[in-house]
Amino acid sequence: MMSARAAYNRRFYAANRERLLVTARLYRLTHAQSIRQQKSERYANNLDVRIAKVNYRRQYREQHPEKLREARRGWHESCKESAINMYSNGDACCAWCGQADIDVLCLDHIDGGGGRHRISTGVGRKDFFAWLRRNDYPPGLQVLCAN
């Protein structure tokens, strides 16, 4: 049996749901920094929660390696497709021959120096596409096919 107060609260929320959601959203937006700071302090002071999260993540990685590998592969393909679309102006084809197979398309530094660029940015070949996305696709690259 529900108490009278709980029944009142439920009716009040049902009648004012939209207004309450807007108010809560507005509060979160205007107090984002203090909310973030409180969460950070709570997390830093609670060692048990941090250890539990680390252990859970480790256990999940051990139990689902294929699922994580598949998610990583999907993320890499998404970054590659968006980078190729950006540098080919949405055509997704080779700048020289017009090849449109995404599996053989790759990015090339227009003036050379791709190895030096990867070393200076500190990212590997697969992470390079994500680096491009994070850095708003800097100029100096073109789409070519591997043929």
Short mmCIF file of all heavy atoms in Angstrom, two decimals, residues 113-139:
data_model
loop_
_atom_site.label_atom_id
_atom_site.label_comp_id
_atom_site.label_asym_id
_atom_site.label_seq_id
_atom_site.Cartn_x
_atom_site.Cartn_y
_atom_site.Cartn_z
N GLY A 113 56.00 13.33 -46.10
CA GLY A 113 56.27 13.51 -44.68
C GLY A 113 55.26 12.90 -43.75
O GLY A 113 55.10 13.34 -42.62
N GLY A 114 54.56 11.86 -44.20
CA GLY A 114 53.55 11.24 -43.36
C GLY A 114 54.14 10.56 -42.13
O GLY A 114 53.58 10.62 -41.04
N GLY A 115 55.29 9.92 -42.30
CA GLY A 115 55.95 9.27 -41.16
C GLY A 115 56.37 10.27 -40.11
O GLY A 115 56.18 10.06 -38.91
N ARG A 116 56.95 11.38 -40.54
CA ARG A 116 57.34 12.43 -39.59
C ARG A 116 56.12 13.00 -38.88
O ARG A 116 56.16 13.29 -37.69
CB ARG A 116 58.08 13.54 -40.33
CG ARG A 116 59.50 13.21 -40.71
CD ARG A 116 60.25 14.43 -41.20
NE ARG A 116 59.55 15.15 -42.28
CZ ARG A 116 59.65 14.85 -43.58
NH1 ARG A 116 60.42 13.84 -43.97
NH2 ARG A 116 58.99 15.55 -44.49
N HIS A 117 55.02 13.13 -39.63
CA HIS A 117 53.80 13.67 -39.03
C HIS A 117 53.25 12.73 -37.97
O HIS A 117 52.83 13.16 -36.89
CB HIS A 117 52.77 13.93 -40.13
CG HIS A 117 51.55 14.64 -39.62
ND1 HIS A 117 50.30 14.11 -39.73
CD2 HIS A 117 51.41 15.83 -38.98
CE1 HIS A 117 49.42 14.94 -39.19
NE2 HIS A 117 50.07 15.99 -38.74
N ARG A 118 53.25 11.42 -38.25
CA ARG A 118 52.77 10.45 -37.27
C ARG A 118 53.64 10.46 -36.02
O ARG A 118 53.15 10.37 -34.90
CB ARG A 118 52.70 9.05 -37.87
CG ARG A 118 51.45 8.78 -38.64
CD ARG A 118 51.21 7.30 -38.82
NE ARG A 118 52.35 6.58 -39.36
CZ ARG A 118 52.61 6.44 -40.66
NH1 ARG A 118 51.81 6.98 -41.54
NH2 ARG A 118 53.64 5.75 -41.06
N ILE A 119 54.95 10.58 -36.21
CA ILE A 119 55.86 10.62 -35.06
C ILE A 119 55.62 11.89 -34.24
O ILE A 119 55.57 11.85 -33.00
CB ILE A 119 57.33 10.52 -35.52
CG1 ILE A 119 57.60 9.11 -36.04
CG2 ILE A 119 58.29 10.87 -34.39
CD1 ILE A 119 58.93 8.95 -36.74
N SER A 120 55.44 13.01 -34.92
CA SER A 120 55.25 14.27 -34.19
C SER A 120 53.93 14.31 -33.44
O SER A 120 53.82 14.93 -32.38
CB SER A 120 55.34 15.46 -35.15
OG SER A 120 54.23 15.49 -36.01
N THR A 121 52.90 13.65 -33.97
CA THR A 121 51.61 13.63 -33.28
C THR A 121 51.55 12.52 -32.24
O THR A 121 50.74 12.57 -31.33
CB THR A 121 50.44 13.44 -34.27
OG1 THR A 121 50.63 12.23 -34.99
CG2 THR A 121 50.35 14.62 -35.20
N GLY A 122 52.40 11.49 -32.40
CA GLY A 122 52.43 10.39 -31.44
C GLY A 122 51.29 9.41 -31.60
O GLY A 122 50.94 8.72 -30.64
N VAL A 123 50.70 9.33 -32.78
CA VAL A 123 49.61 8.38 -33.00
C VAL A 123 50.02 7.35 -34.04
O VAL A 123 50.84 7.61 -34.91
CB VAL A 123 48.30 9.09 -33.46
CG1 VAL A 123 47.78 9.99 -32.38
CG2 VAL A 123 48.51 9.85 -34.74
N GLY A 124 49.44 6.17 -33.93
CA GLY A 124 49.72 5.11 -34.90
C GLY A 124 48.83 5.23 -36.12
O GLY A 124 48.05 6.17 -36.26
N ARG A 125 48.92 4.26 -37.00
CA ARG A 125 48.16 4.32 -38.25
C ARG A 125 46.66 4.29 -38.02
O ARG A 125 45.92 5.07 -38.60
CB ARG A 125 48.58 3.18 -39.17
CG ARG A 125 49.78 3.55 -39.99
CD ARG A 125 50.09 2.48 -40.98
NE ARG A 125 51.32 1.87 -40.51
CZ ARG A 125 51.67 0.64 -40.76
NH1 ARG A 125 50.91 -0.14 -41.47
NH2 ARG A 125 52.79 0.16 -40.29
N LYS A 126 46.19 3.37 -37.18
CA LYS A 126 44.75 3.27 -36.97
C LYS A 126 44.21 4.45 -36.17
O LYS A 126 43.12 4.93 -36.41
CB LYS A 126 44.40 1.97 -36.27
CG LYS A 126 44.51 0.78 -37.18
CD LYS A 126 43.92 -0.44 -36.55
CE LYS A 126 43.92 -1.57 -37.55
NZ LYS A 126 43.24 -2.74 -37.05
N ASP A 127 44.97 4.93 -35.21
CA ASP A 127 44.53 6.05 -34.39
C ASP A 127 44.62 7.38 -35.13
O ASP A 127 44.11 8.39 -34.66
CB ASP A 127 45.35 6.12 -33.10
CG ASP A 127 45.10 4.93 -32.20
OD1 ASP A 127 43.98 4.38 -32.27
OD2 ASP A 127 46.01 4.54 -31.46
N PHE A 128 45.27 7.39 -36.28
CA PHE A 128 45.44 8.62 -37.03
C PHE A 128 44.09 9.18 -37.47
O PHE A 128 43.88 10.39 -37.44
CB PHE A 128 46.33 8.36 -38.25
CG PHE A 128 46.66 9.59 -39.04
CD1 PHE A 128 47.39 10.61 -38.46
CD2 PHE A 128 46.23 9.73 -40.33
CE1 PHE A 128 47.69 11.75 -39.17
CE2 PHE A 128 46.52 10.86 -41.06
CZ PHE A 128 47.26 11.88 -40.49
N PHE A 129 43.16 8.32 -37.87
CA PHE A 129 41.84 8.79 -38.30
C PHE A 129 41.10 9.46 -37.14
O PHE A 129 40.45 10.49 -37.32
CB PHE A 129 41.00 7.64 -38.86
CG PHE A 129 41.58 7.04 -40.11
CD1 PHE A 129 42.05 5.74 -40.11
CD2 PHE A 129 41.66 7.77 -41.27
CE1 PHE A 129 42.59 5.19 -41.25
CE2 PHE A 129 42.19 7.23 -42.43
CZ PHE A 129 42.66 5.94 -42.42
N ALA A 130 41.20 8.89 -35.94
CA ALA A 130 40.56 9.51 -34.77
C ALA A 130 41.25 10.83 -34.44
O ALA A 130 40.59 11.79 -34.04
CB ALA A 130 40.62 8.56 -33.58
N TRP A 131 42.57 10.88 -34.61
CA TRP A 131 43.30 12.13 -34.38
C TRP A 131 42.81 13.21 -35.33
O TRP A 131 42.63 14.36 -34.93
CB TRP A 131 44.81 11.89 -34.55
CG TRP A 131 45.62 13.12 -34.31
CD1 TRP A 131 46.12 13.54 -33.11
CD2 TRP A 131 46.01 14.09 -35.27
NE1 TRP A 131 46.80 14.71 -33.27
CE2 TRP A 131 46.76 15.07 -34.60
CE3 TRP A 131 45.82 14.24 -36.64
CZ2 TRP A 131 47.30 16.18 -35.24
CZ3 TRP A 131 46.37 15.34 -37.28
CH2 TRP A 131 47.09 16.29 -36.58
N LEU A 132 42.60 12.84 -36.59
CA LEU A 132 42.09 13.81 -37.57
C LEU A 132 40.73 14.35 -37.13
O LEU A 132 40.46 15.54 -37.22
CB LEU A 132 41.97 13.16 -38.95
CG LEU A 132 43.28 12.84 -39.65
CD1 LEU A 132 43.01 12.02 -40.91
CD2 LEU A 132 44.03 14.10 -40.00
N ARG A 133 39.86 13.45 -36.66
CA ARG A 133 38.52 13.87 -36.23
C ARG A 133 38.61 14.82 -35.05
O ARG A 133 37.93 15.84 -35.01
CB ARG A 133 37.70 12.63 -35.86
CG ARG A 133 36.29 12.94 -35.43
CD ARG A 133 35.55 11.72 -35.03
NE ARG A 133 34.95 11.08 -36.19
CZ ARG A 133 34.19 10.00 -36.13
NH1 ARG A 133 33.95 9.42 -34.99
NH2 ARG A 133 33.68 9.49 -37.22
N ARG A 134 39.46 14.50 -34.08
CA ARG A 134 39.61 15.36 -32.90
C ARG A 134 40.19 16.72 -33.25
O ARG A 134 39.93 17.70 -32.57
CB ARG A 134 40.52 14.69 -31.87
CG ARG A 134 39.86 13.64 -31.02
CD ARG A 134 40.74 13.25 -29.85
NE ARG A 134 42.08 12.87 -30.23
CZ ARG A 134 42.47 11.65 -30.55
NH1 ARG A 134 41.60 10.67 -30.56
NH2 ARG A 134 43.72 11.40 -30.88
N ASN A 135 41.01 16.79 -34.31
CA ASN A 135 41.67 18.04 -34.68
C ASN A 135 41.00 18.72 -35.88
O ASN A 135 41.64 19.50 -36.59
CB ASN A 135 43.14 17.77 -34.96
CG ASN A 135 43.89 17.44 -33.70
OD1 ASN A 135 44.17 18.32 -32.90
ND2 ASN A 135 44.16 16.17 -33.49
N ASP A 136 39.74 18.42 -36.11
CA ASP A 136 38.94 19.08 -37.15
C ASP A 136 39.53 18.97 -38.55
O ASP A 136 39.51 19.92 -39.32
CB ASP A 136 38.69 20.55 -36.81
CG ASP A 136 37.82 20.70 -35.58
OD1 ASP A 136 36.96 19.83 -35.35
OD2 ASP A 136 38.01 21.68 -34.84
N TYR A 137 40.08 17.82 -38.87
CA TYR A 137 40.57 17.50 -40.22
C TYR A 137 41.46 18.60 -40.79
O TYR A 137 41.05 19.36 -41.66
CB TYR A 137 39.38 17.22 -41.15
CG TYR A 137 38.51 16.12 -40.65
CD1 TYR A 137 37.29 16.40 -40.03
CD2 TYR A 137 38.90 14.80 -40.75
CE1 TYR A 137 36.48 15.39 -39.55
CE2 TYR A 137 38.09 13.78 -40.26
CZ TYR A 137 36.89 14.08 -39.67
OH TYR A 137 36.11 13.08 -39.19
N PRO A 138 42.70 18.69 -40.31
CA PRO A 138 43.61 19.74 -40.81
C PRO A 138 43.93 19.55 -42.29
O PRO A 138 43.87 18.42 -42.80
CB PRO A 138 44.86 19.56 -39.94
CG PRO A 138 44.79 18.17 -39.44
CD PRO A 138 43.33 17.83 -39.33
N PRO A 139 44.26 20.61 -43.00
CA PRO A 139 44.56 20.50 -44.44
C PRO A 139 45.91 19.81 -44.68
O PRO A 139 46.70 19.61 -43.76
CB PRO A 139 44.61 21.95 -44.90
CG PRO A 139 44.95 22.72 -43.67
CD PRO A 139 44.33 21.98 -42.52
#
